[in-house]
Amino acid sequence: MEEKKVAVVGAGLVGSLFAVLLAKKGMEVDVFERRPDLRKAKEIGGRSINLALSNRGFKALELAGFAQEIRDISIPMYGRKMHDVEGNLTYQAYGKDNEAIYSVSRGELNRRLMNLADDYENVKYRFDRFCEDINLKENKIEFINEVSKDKEHYAYDHIFGADGAFSAVRGVLQKTPMFNYSQEYLAHGYKELSFPPNEDGTHRFDKNCLHIWPRGEFMMIALPNLDGSFTVTLFFPHKGETSFESLDTEEKVMDFFKATFPDAVPHMPTLVEDYFANPTSNLVTVRCSPWNYEDKVLLLGDASHAVVPFYGQGLNSGLEDCSVFFEMYEKYNGNVKEFFEAFSEQRVPDGNAIADLALYNYIEMRDLAGDKDFLLRKKIERKFSDLYPNKWMPLYSQVTFSHIRYSEALAAGNRQRKIMDEVMEMENIHECWDDQKVIDKILTLV
Amino acid sequence: MEEKKVAVVGAGLVGSLFAVLLAKKGMEVDVFERRPDLRKAKEIGGRSINLALSNRGFKALELAGFAQEIRDISIPMYGRKMHDVEGNLTYQAYGKDNEAIYSVSRGELNRRLMNLADDYENVKYRFDRFCEDINLKENKIEFINEVSKDKEHYAYDHIFGADGAFSAVRGVLQKTPMFNYSQEYLAHGYKELSFPPNEDGTHRFDKNCLHIWPRGEFMMIALPNLDGSFTVTLFFPHKGETSFESLDTEEKVMDFFKATFPDAVPHMPTLVEDYFANPTSNLVTVRCSPWNYEDKVLLLGDASHAVVPFYGQGLNSGLEDCSVFFEMYEKYNGNVKEFFEAFSEQRVPDGNAIADLALYNYIEMRDLAGDKDFLLRKKIERKFSDLYPNKWMPLYSQVTFSHIRYSEALAAGNRQRKIMDEVMEMENIHECWDDQKVIDKILTLV
């Protein structure tokens, strides 16, 4: 594929990193983006979207020699801190020792990846270009220039669709025969709120944790930012008795928050303003198969697998697409069609697996994370895993800290759950959980 | 909704019948169709698509006073006749006495429905119109006139999308928030073949049956036509060792058919020509939710629920959309948004149920229909149902001969399957199946 001319549609995190990696292979890369250059745009007031980078994401950044720079602008979170209605805190480490997930600003990460890509002479960004259509026979792509309103046509050897959950490139593939596709919305949405920094610039809660207020049917979470603030997100039903729809006055919002998140409210001086000013967003899962059209088009990131955010793997899985792509790249030197097909065949089940895991984790976070049985399960798992690390890696660690395929992690997680179901059936397990017989039981089952 | 101006997109079977029923309520109805008027088109040589109408379809035709006219051009099929590799025949009645499904020509049915609609002054067909976009705020719809290439704009009170599995109207809804959608292709496709009439114009096999050649991983079926021919359909894997892809020479096709369908081959004088001339088509399941956009747009038929053809319910379920629409119509007089929402809420689970039933029935037809255990199951079910008709209606009868909601039929069918699983576990069931103890056993379980 060297010396080829390729297009990357979408200048987001996956698109920009992928452009860098293609450029490193010597390809001519045009990156098209529907929006204006975000480096020239003003900050969007009141919203500071952040996300959690973990090992899969860093591995791909490492390929670009960029992992350390990003680590430097991130805040490690070593565990979850659960806040109950009385304000009691429970802590649960994510992994061992120094294993952490890293809170980072989406905007800042994107800006830095774009600057990195700009350093390559063979990468060219074209902003304000809306992908209107692709001629799949000739691999010509048509854009509308959102500034001049002109139509523009380009031809490429390969087109990479990294244009997100509502991908225009995927929209073209959806009309081709045998393309399987689904988009499924949760009945819950989310709204971003904020804990501003203390007056001295420090964080209002422990900054090295992801904070969760699990409330059964819904939850609130908070991730730290470098400036001392937290980005707070309420995940909540769209409709129903207690929902975004029902909380429609300032009084109802304040009453609800005071009753439901009493330890958080004192740290939310702009709660009511934020609640009504910030949009309510949707949560969608997108799956498709195959991810390629012959050797012409390949989808990456949210364009091929948009997942709900509850495993913190949306971006990580998209960045892993990039690293897996270049791992497989050498093997198929020359035969791009076979390569794209093999890539799709390998990644589709992994995309589906992380979609399933993310959906499941919403239940775990909002519901189980506040549950005694659940916490004991995790404690027993952790103990067994410490004693027999080769026999048991907790599912969360497989997903977050390893590079085991998501589909294999999901299968292993299902086996583990069945084993732990049996363990939790043991008599007086809440009293005897630390006894040797519990370990022995697991040893017979693994 | 009387005196309103509405659009029906799609002049197929569902669109044309629906236009008639809207016109009967006094509405002004424009019917848009992408293709030219099929009544003016030449017959497509070598293909005579037919389908099986049953009670749900006839109920909707009855609303238009049109059921008898269609019965008169249909051939009743009272059961399945299975052909094994040795040419042995097994017969299985679909229902009781005169219960039948009706083989009818798709083209002829469509032509007659269009003529019926044309009799209404308040129905106007506009052919060669490709639906390009819908402005959902103002309910304006844009078409490309395929003849003049001009863009045309129209405004309606309500727009009904009856434009099939690849619905352009649904394509617009797919981009709205919270619209759930999936399209899923089977790994199997189909190809139409033919048994021409005998020289004296009679049918080569019993015309009052649906003929099946179940072969485990695939199957062939034949439905009778009025002219003495049968339309034959091979359902078969696209790829793999034995597949459309692998049967790529005349010799391979003949060898395969002679070995696999020996009793059919003598009746297929144009087998090889047909095999290579006729297209290989795909089998897709489409689901979505909701089926409406406010009071602006409503999807019907394949546009909202395209199913695989193995239960013979694709058209019937689309026509049932029409009859359910007009059953609910009176209740919501005036409040169209509430009506559309209630219609969607009721029909989505039924659309999903018939999609699931149709997928399952492929396995039953190709695999189980040739299986001794399966045939015994059906015999026991039939006996019990004859003795206790109020306690047991076979699933096939619920789906085909009743108006029980598909979702309820599916649930009842699952309960029945569990009961029959237990019955088939009885000792020597193949010998004692006709004994009273079998009936007693079922009585304890229902």
Side-chain angles (χ1 to χ4, degrees):
Chain A
M1 287 173 66
E2 283 79 359
E3 295 179 26
K4 286 193 168 173
K5 223 179 142 219
V6 302
V8 175
V9 182
L13 303 166
V14 171
S16 290
L17 179 71
F18 196 62
V20 169
L21 300 176
L22 293 166
K24 275 179 172 287
K25 294 285 179 192
M27 283 174 249
E28 287 292 320
V29 187
D30 283 353
V31 185
F32 294 90
E33 169 58 44
R34 204 180 65 176
R35 280 161 287 208
D37 188 342
L38 64 83
R39 293 167 296 184
K40 295 173 187 163
K42 284 184 197 158
E43 293 268 344
I44 300 165
R47 297 190 70 199
S48 58
I49 302 165
N50 52 17
L51 39 81
L53 265 175
S54 52
N55 292 28
R56 295 176 200 258
F58 280 116
K59 181 177 177 182
L61 292 170
E62 197 61 72
L63 284 183
F66 210 53
Q68 193 52 49
E69 172 161 353
I70 302 307
R71 241 179 251 275
D72 291 345
I73 55 161
S74 307
I75 299 176
M77 301 179 288
Y78 297 97
R80 299 166 165 169
K81 198 161 270 181
M82 275 81 79
H83 298 236
D84 76 10
V85 179
E86 281 77 40
N88 301 314
L89 302 180
T90 314
Y91 179 75
Q92 196 187 322
Y94 278 132
K96 300 179 184 175
D97 308 333
N98 286 320
E99 285 178 337
I101 60 177
Y102 289 79
S103 178
V104 64
S105 154
R106 168 180 282 273
E108 188 57 28
L109 181 55
N110 209 343
R111 276 186 285 276
R112 292 191 183 219
L113 282 167
M114 287 170 139
N115 288 339
L116 178 68
D118 266 346
D119 288 344
Y120 288 83
E121 279 189 6
N122 47 340
V123 175
K124 184 166 172 51
Y125 277 94
R126 297 175 192 272
F127 294 97
D128 301 299
R129 258 69 166 203
F130 175 80
C131 173
E132 176 79 0
D133 201 8
I134 299 174
N135 175 333
L136 290 168
K137 278 200 184 125
E138 302 174 10
N139 231 21
K140 287 184 180 159
I141 182 162
E142 178 181 315
F143 290 92
I144 305 226
N145 184 319
E146 298 271 30
V147 176
S148 70
K149 301 294 171 197
D150 290 338
K151 284 190 179 178
E152 298 176 0
H153 297 85
Y154 304 85
Y156 292 96
D157 295 309
H158 313 292
I159 294 169
F160 298 100
D163 51 342
F166 303 100
S167 169
V169 176
R170 189 190 62 228
V172 174
L173 298 200
Q174 195 192 309
K175 292 174 190 160
T176 61
M178 303 294 286
F179 186 78
N180 297 304
Y181 173 71
S182 80
Q183 60 186 43
E184 195 166 358
Y185 285 85
L186 283 194
H188 289 211
Y190 69 93
K191 192 183 279 289
E192 292 201 358
L193 304 166
S194 174
F195 300 154
N198 286 316
E199 279 192 20
D200 64 358
T202 57
H203 288 84
R204 287 170 184 260
F205 292 97
D206 178 353
K207 73 171 179 178
N208 291 119
C209 308
L210 192 152
H211 295 266
I212 311 182
W213 288 257
R215 294 296 181 266
E217 284 303 299
F218 55 87
M219 69 175 180
M220 189 167 81
I221 67 169
L223 276 76
N225 297 312
L226 281 181
D227 68 358
S229 68
F230 280 88
T231 299
V232 179
T233 311
L234 174 66
F235 294 97
F236 205 51
H238 280 296
K239 295 185 177 191
E241 205 176 35
T242 306
S243 68
F244 284 120
E245 194 181 58
S246 77
L247 294 187
D248 56 356
T249 67
E250 298 194 357
E251 202 188 337
K252 284 184 197 167
V253 170
M254 276 310 295
D255 288 352
F256 170 77
F257 272 80
K258 279 183 182 164
T260 314
F261 310 114
D263 67 333
V265 171
H267 303 289
M268 304 174 88
T270 56
L271 167 60
V272 167
E273 295 90 312
D274 291 349
Y275 183 92
F276 289 104
N278 291 346
T280 304
S281 304
N282 297 321
L283 295 161
V284 69
T285 300
V286 169
R287 305 168 197 251
C288 66
S289 168
W291 290 5
N292 70 306
Y293 182 85
E294 299 175 357
D295 63 346
K296 307 277 200 330
V297 175
L298 186 70
L299 304 173
L300 298 161
D302 285 1
S304 52
H305 54 105
V307 305
V308 293
F310 307 110
Y311 228 117
Q313 289 293 312
L315 171 61
N316 287 290
S317 63
L319 295 178
E320 190 181 60
D321 293 342
C322 303
S323 61
V324 170
F325 182 95
F326 286 98
E327 274 163 24
M328 295 178 71
Y329 178 87
E330 309 296 340
K331 275 193 242 167
Y332 292 89
N333 211 357
N335 193 335
V336 181
K337 183 159 177 272
E338 209 177 285
F339 169 34
F340 282 12
E341 279 169 3
F343 178 79
S344 171
E345 207 163 298
Q346 168 157 344
R347 290 300 285 171
V348 165
D350 291 334
N352 286 333
I354 191 58
D356 290 338
L357 286 162
L359 287 166
Y360 171 75
N361 222 40
Y362 187 28
I363 299 168
E364 174 165 325
M365 285 176 82
R366 73 186 199 214
D367 204 357
L368 305 179
D371 180 272
K372 284 221 168 84
D373 268 12
F374 173 77
L375 295 171
L376 180 60
R377 253 174 204 260
K378 294 280 161 179
K379 212 148 60 173
I380 297 170
E381 270 196 70
R382 169 63 55 208
K383 179 182 170 189
F384 186 82
S385 172
D386 285 344
L387 288 169
Y388 300 97
N390 295 327
K391 289 187 194 290
W392 192 289
M393 186 191 291
L395 176 58
Y396 188 89
S397 296
Q398 291 186 55
V399 171
T400 308
F401 302 124
S402 89
H403 301 287
I404 294 167
R405 288 182 59 183
Y406 288 125
S407 53
E408 288 170 14
L410 177 61
N414 286 335
R415 288 194 299 273
Q416 290 175 349
R417 197 183 54 243
K418 282 180 195 145
I419 291 171
M420 288 307 299
D421 285 348
E422 284 200 48
V423 170
M424 295 299 288
E425 293 283 303
M426 290 173 75
E427 218 170 311
N428 291 322
I429 185 67
H430 279 270
E431 285 74 50
C432 73
W433 72 269
D434 210 15
D435 295 357
Q436 181 58 31
K437 66 178 179 189
V438 174
I439 297 300
D440 292 343
K441 171 91 175 176
I442 301 176
L443 279 170
T444 65
L445 295 170
V446 287
Chain B
M1 285 173 65
E2 283 81 357
E3 296 181 24
K4 286 195 168 171
K5 221 175 146 224
V6 301
V8 175
V9 182
L13 303 166
V14 171
S16 290
L17 179 72
F18 196 62
V20 169
L21 299 176
L22 292 167
K24 275 179 172 285
K25 294 286 179 190
M27 282 173 249
E28 287 292 322
V29 187
D30 284 353
V31 185
F32 293 89
E33 169 59 43
R34 205 180 64 176
R35 280 162 286 209
D37 189 343
L38 65 83
R39 292 167 297 183
K40 295 173 187 163
K42 285 184 196 157
E43 292 267 344
I44 300 165
R47 297 190 69 198
S48 58
I49 302 165
N50 51 17
L51 39 83
L53 264 174
S54 53
N55 292 28
R56 295 175 200 259
F58 280 116
K59 180 177 179 183
L61 293 171
E62 198 60 73
L63 284 183
F66 210 55
Q68 192 53 49
E69 174 162 350
I70 301 307
R71 241 179 250 276
D72 290 345
I73 56 162
S74 305
I75 299 176
M77 301 179 286
Y78 298 97
R80 298 165 166 171
K81 198 161 269 180
M82 273 82 77
H83 298 236
D84 76 9
V85 180
E86 280 78 41
N88 301 314
L89 302 181
T90 315
Y91 179 74
Q92 196 187 322
Y94 278 132
K96 298 179 185 178
D97 307 332
N98 286 319
E99 285 178 337
I101 60 177
Y102 289 78
S103 178
V104 64
S105 154
R106 167 180 282 271
E108 187 57 26
L109 181 55
N110 209 343
R111 275 186 287 277
R112 291 190 184 221
L113 281 168
M114 286 169 140
N115 288 339
L116 179 68
D118 266 345
D119 289 344
Y120 288 82
E121 279 189 5
N122 47 340
V123 175
K124 184 166 172 48
Y125 277 94
R126 297 174 191 273
F127 294 98
D128 301 300
R129 257 68 166 204
F130 175 80
C131 173
E132 175 79 359
D133 201 7
I134 299 175
N135 175 334
L136 290 169
K137 279 202 182 122
E138 302 174 9
N139 232 22
K140 287 185 181 160
I141 183 162
E142 178 181 314
F143 290 93
I144 306 228
N145 184 319
E146 298 271 30
V147 177
S148 70
K149 300 294 170 197
D150 289 339
K151 284 190 179 178
E152 299 175 1
H153 297 86
Y154 304 84
Y156 293 97
D157 296 310
H158 313 291
I159 295 169
F160 298 100
D163 51 341
F166 303 100
S167 169
V169 176
R170 189 190 63 227
V172 175
L173 298 200
Q174 195 192 308
K175 291 173 190 160
T176 62
M178 303 294 286
F179 187 78
N180 297 304
Y181 173 70
S182 79
Q183 61 185 43
E184 196 165 358
Y185 286 84
L186 283 193
H188 290 208
Y190 69 92
K191 191 184 279 288
E192 292 200 358
L193 304 166
S194 175
F195 301 153
N198 287 315
E199 279 192 17
D200 62 0
T202 57
H203 288 84
R204 289 172 182 257
F205 290 98
D206 179 353
K207 72 171 180 177
N208 291 118
C209 308
L210 192 153
H211 295 266
I212 311 181
W213 288 257
R215 293 296 180 267
E217 285 304 298
F218 55 86
M219 69 174 180
M220 188 167 81
I221 67 169
L223 275 78
N225 296 313
L226 281 180
D227 68 357
S229 69
F230 281 88
T231 299
V232 180
T233 311
L234 175 65
F235 294 97
F236 205 50
H238 280 295
K239 296 186 175 187
E241 202 174 35
T242 307
S243 68
F244 284 120
E245 195 181 58
S246 76
L247 294 188
D248 57 356
T249 68
E250 298 194 359
E251 200 188 339
K252 284 184 197 168
V253 170
M254 277 311 294
D255 287 351
F256 170 77
F257 271 80
K258 278 183 182 162
T260 315
F261 310 116
D263 67 333
V265 171
H267 304 288
M268 303 174 88
T270 56
L271 167 60
V272 167
E273 294 90 312
D274 291 349
Y275 183 92
F276 289 104
N278 291 347
T280 304
S281 303
N282 297 321
L283 295 161
V284 70
T285 299
V286 169
R287 304 169 199 250
C288 65
S289 168
W291 289 6
N292 71 304
Y293 182 84
E294 298 175 358
D295 62 346
K296 306 278 200 330
V297 175
L298 187 69
L299 303 173
L300 298 162
D302 285 0
S304 52
H305 54 104
V307 305
V308 294
F310 306 110
Y311 228 117
Q313 288 294 311
L315 171 60
N316 286 290
S317 63
L319 295 178
E320 190 180 59
D321 293 341
C322 303
S323 60
V324 170
F325 181 95
F326 286 98
E327 274 164 23
M328 295 179 71
Y329 178 86
E330 310 295 341
K331 275 192 242 166
Y332 292 89
N333 210 357
N335 194 335
V336 180
K337 182 160 178 269
E338 210 176 285
F339 169 33
F340 282 11
E341 279 169 5
F343 178 79
S344 171
E345 207 163 300
Q346 168 156 344
R347 290 300 285 172
V348 164
D350 291 335
N352 286 334
I354 191 57
D356 290 338
L357 285 163
L359 287 165
Y360 171 75
N361 221 41
Y362 186 29
I363 298 168
E364 173 164 324
M365 286 177 82
R366 75 187 198 213
D367 204 357
L368 304 178
D371 180 272
K372 283 219 170 84
D373 268 11
F374 173 77
L375 295 172
L376 180 60
R377 252 172 203 261
K378 294 280 159 179
K379 213 149 59 174
I380 297 171
E381 271 196 69
R382 169 62 57 208
K383 180 181 168 190
F384 186 82
S385 172
D386 286 344
L387 287 169
Y388 300 98
N390 294 327
K391 288 186 193 289
W392 193 289
M393 186 190 290
L395 176 59
Y396 188 88
S397 296
Q398 292 186 54
V399 170
T400 307
F401 303 123
S402 90
H403 302 286
I404 295 167
R405 289 182 59 183
Y406 288 125
S407 53
E408 288 170 13
L410 176 61
N414 285 335
R415 288 194 299 273
Q416 289 176 349
R417 197 184 53 243
K418 282 180 195 148
I419 291 171
M420 288 307 298
D421 284 349
E422 284 199 48
V423 170
M424 295 299 289
E425 292 283 303
M426 290 173 76
E427 218 170 311
N428 292 322
I429 186 68
H430 280 269
E431 283 74 50
C432 73
W433 72 270
D434 210 15
D435 294 358
Q436 181 58 32
K437 68 177 178 190
V438 175
I439 296 300
D440 292 342
K441 171 90 175 176
I442 301 177
L443 279 170
T444 65
L445 294 171
V446 289

